[in-house]
Amino acid sequence: RRGLSGALMVTGVLFLLLVPVVAFSTFAFKEASDGARFVSQTLRSDGVTGLVDRLPPPLARLAHRGLARLSGGDEGNLSASVQKQVGAQGGRAAAAVGATLSATGAFVFQAVMMLIALYFLLLQGDELVSWVDDLSPLRGGQTRELLAEFKKVSSAVILSTVITAAVQAVAALVGY
């Protein structure tokens, strides 16, 4: 049942890799847009001092001192300057959001292509190895030997990484 096991493996990879990345991207995009909307609305309604007043007290004191030095006592000029800068940077923010969406779309497309290739590699991997062995300039069977050695080394590296992580987790648990 190579088809079923290949489909299950691809589905597992999909859920382990792609779903968390898409979920995190969605969350980050939503939070960034909410944050930008909050800053913009607060600047429009309360000005710079209203935005600074919403900071935690130690940061608010520091920010008020910095604003006093920048404005020289003229808060209206400072507020207008900050609002002008925020408005001017809106185009750059929109371009950054567009680039992020474009990169996310490219990533999703490449991930889907990778999953399709993985499925067919799992389904017809032996035929692919035979084809590569026939095309290889090495003696017959040498390519298979190299691939077998690569498989052993890869398995050893993955296993040693998992064991090292487990030892580190135990050491951290004992330390805590």
Side-chain angles (χ1 to χ4, degrees), residues 36-91:
R37 187 177 317 110
F38 170 77
V39 168
S40 177
Q41 288 174 352
T42 304
L43 282 175
R44 274 193 225 114
S45 65
D46 300 336
V48 176
T49 55
L51 185 63
V52 170
D53 289 339
R54 294 178 187 257
L55 292 172
L59 290 177
R61 285 191 298 272
L62 185 64
H64 278 296
R65 277 189 244 142
L67 287 176
R69 286 185 184 168
L70 287 175
S71 67
D74 186 15
E75 183 184 321
N77 187 26
L78 177 67
S79 181
S81 174
V82 169
Q83 286 180 350
K84 179 181 168 186
Q85 287 296 325
V86 168
Q89 299 303 323

Side-chain angles (χ1 to χ4, degrees), residues 1-12 118-119 122-124:
R1 299 188 184 211
R2 291 183 133 197
L4 178 61
S5 64
L8 288 175
M9 180 70 82
V10 168
T11 303
L118 176 65
Y119 175 74
L122 290 172
L123 210 59
Q124 300 171 331

